[in-house]
Amino acid sequence: MVARHDLTTDPGLQEQLLQARRGTAFFARKLNELTDAELDGDSLLAGWTRRHVVAHVGYNARAIARLVEWASTGVETPMYPSIAVRDEEINFGATLSPIALRNLFDHSAVHLSVEWRDLPEDAWHHTVRTIQGREVPASETAWMRTREVWVHAVDLYNGASFGDIPASVLERLLRDITGSWAARGTDAGLLVKVSGTDLTFGDPDAAVVVAGPLAGVVQWATGRGAGGVTAGAGPVPAAPKWI
């Protein structure tokens, strides 16, 4: 019998899946607010129209579903054969008719949700590999999708902002980003502080201190603007490369 609810009973993982599905619903709402003609408009990402963003999010769901299938069957099914193939797929998806593009998003999101739902409890610990080559447990796929749908909902450039993203998602995202900087050593001389909290990342002796509310700091850290953040008396620098 096909399950009608998630097989996992881990409350932490259940919460992560809920956040991913909420983000998917938020992205769907912002997408559905756009007319077919508006899909041709610019997104917040340089060189990408809204069509590219929708195609990317749709194909990303399929790619993550392949990782979940890998965890379930033990048969290696990579997200993509290569980054070049992923990019070609996105460019192709951006040429689809509006109804096909919307269907791509809808159907791929449902497929991923079902793969999560039916994954046995023990399989969530099985190791899979991301497109970047990281080996992670299948449970990481919930966060991978959460990050994609919430941030790219903003990228649709249709009124969504980082202030719409749940604080727990923003905080984890900021930890991911600053952790990436630290691993690469690109945060030298830079300290990041979230106003009103004890969240501080980077070099404590830094000459440059970027500070602001959580949503503003994450917006800056993802390279999507510096509204609401400051860097002392000087200009706010561009954030180091994230991914």
Side-chain angles (χ1 to χ4, degrees), residues 10-11 74 84 94 109 114 117 126 181 186 206:
D10 182 326
V114 169
R117 182 195 69 190
H126 293 174
W181 294 344
T186 55

Side-chain angles (χ1 to χ4, degrees), residues 39-185:
L39 292 175
D40 295 328
D42 291 337
S43 74
L44 286 182
L45 298 176
W48 272 18
T49 66
R50 290 173 173 135
R51 286 174 160 277
H52 289 86
V53 175
V54 178
H56 170 56
V57 172
Y59 288 128
N60 172 262
R62 289 185 178 177
I64 292 177
R66 287 192 282 272
L67 294 186
V68 181
E69 292 165 6
W70 178 353
S72 177
T73 65
V75 177
E76 183 172 340
T77 49
M79 295 182 71
Y80 308 94
S82 68
I83 291 178
V85 169
R86 181 199 63 182
D87 294 344
E88 290 172 5
E89 189 175 53
I90 293 169
N91 288 330
F92 167 75
T95 70
L96 295 173
S97 68
I99 189 171
L101 194 57
R102 294 177 190 276
N103 284 340
L104 168 63
F105 168 76
D106 291 338
H107 296 168
S108 62
V110 170
H111 176 206
L112 175 57
S113 187
V114 169
E115 291 294 335
W116 278 334
R117 182 195 69 190
D118 294 342
L119 191 64
E121 186 86 58
D122 60 343
W124 284 100
H125 304 289
H126 293 174
T127 300
V128 295
R129 189 170 54 255
T130 71
I131 186 65
Q132 291 84 16
R134 292 188 305 123
E135 294 193 347
V136 298
S139 56
E140 183 75 5
T141 61
W143 169 241
M144 291 166 62
R145 184 60 175 173
T146 297
R147 183 176 62 194
E148 289 287 328
V149 288
W150 282 109
V151 172
H152 287 313
V154 176
D155 290 333
L156 282 176
Y157 199 23
N158 185 35
S161 72
F162 279 81
D164 294 315
I165 302 176
S168 60
V169 175
L170 290 173
E171 183 174 332
R172 183 169 179 180
L173 184 54
L174 185 57
R175 291 185 185 280
D176 273 8
I177 294 170
T178 54
S180 175
W181 294 344
R184 296 172 182 165

